[in-house]
Amino acid sequence: MAEPLADRVIQRIGQAADLYYSLVVLVGPAGSGKTAALQDVHERTAAPLVNVNLELSRRMLDLTERRRALRLPRLLAEIVGASAADVILLDNVEILFDVLLKQDPLRLLQGLSRNKTVVAAWSGTIDGEHMVYATPDHPEYKRYPLRDFLAVNLEAVA
C-alpha cells in the first residue's frame, strides 16, 4: 500500500513546484499509512523527514505557555529552514492544532511552503471540497477549503 502512495506523493511534489504555495498534504485518519508513505518518500528522494511534535516540543520545553504561542511560528520555520533541501517532509503535526498554542495550522504550513516544497501528514479527512481535522464538537476542530495546496487523500487509496 505504501509504494503506490509514495508514487502519488512524489508526483504531487513535482506538481507543487509550480504553485504559489508548494504544499502537499497527505490526508487520512490515524493508522492509514501516512508515516509509512513519508518514510518511503524519504528513502527514495533523500528529503528530510521531521517529526514536528518531537522537534517543537524539545524547543518549547523551557518556554512559558504565552511564549510558546508567540515563538512557535519562528521555531517551526527554523526547523524547516535548517535543511538545505528543496523538499521537506513533516510528520506528526498534531501539536500545531493545540488550542493553547493559538495557531492556524494550514496557514503555518502554507507560509513554510513559500521557500521550499513542504509535504505534511494531516490526521483527518476530506469531506467534499474541504479538508477536516477532528470533529465539530472537538476544541481542535479545523475545516479548510481544498484550495491553494495539493492534497493526497488516503481514504481514496484504501
Side-chain angles (χ1 to χ4, degrees):
M1 179 178 154
E3 187 67 31
L5 184 54
D7 289 341
R8 289 179 59 202
V9 172
I10 291 169
Q11 179 184 16
R12 290 278 202 246
I13 289 170
Q15 295 170 347
D18 298 331
L19 301 176
Y20 183 78
Y21 295 115
S22 297
L23 177 61
V24 178
V25 183
L26 273 71
V27 183
S32 63
K34 296 180 299 292
T35 297
L38 288 177
Q39 288 170 339
D40 193 11
V41 172
H42 165 70
E43 290 170 8
R44 292 168 56 185
T45 66
L49 176 58
V50 177
N51 180 330
V52 175
N53 289 346
L54 181 62
E55 294 301 323
L56 278 177
S57 295
R58 284 180 181 161
R59 287 168 171 79
M60 294 190 309
L61 195 57
D62 295 331
L63 300 176
T64 64
E65 184 178 309
R66 183 173 187 274
R67 287 219 175 265
R68 288 176 183 167
L70 294 172
R71 300 264 324 267
L72 186 144
R74 184 172 35 166
L75 292 171
L76 185 57
E78 288 171 5
I79 292 166
V80 170
S83 169
D86 293 333
V87 176
I88 191 153
L89 312 172
L90 303 180
D91 197 12
N92 303 307
V93 300
E94 292 80 12
I95 194 170
L96 302 179
F97 294 88
D98 186 327
V99 292
L100 296 175
L101 294 173
K102 301 176 179 115
Q103 302 297 318
D104 182 337
L106 183 60
R107 186 172 168 210
L108 283 171
L109 295 172
Q110 287 175 322
L112 295 170
S113 71
R114 288 295 300 128
N115 299 318
K116 59 178 69 184
T117 301
V118 173
V119 180
W122 183 284
S123 292
T125 59
I126 291 180
D127 176 18
E129 295 295 318
H130 292 86
M131 180 172 66
V132 180
Y133 181 88
T135 57
D137 59 336
H138 195 279
E140 295 179 349
Y141 173 74
K142 299 284 184 192
R143 185 172 184 258
Y144 297 100
L146 288 172
R147 64 172 185 257
D148 298 329
F149 62 92
L150 297 174
V152 176
N153 187 356
L154 273 67
E155 289 184 329
V157 175

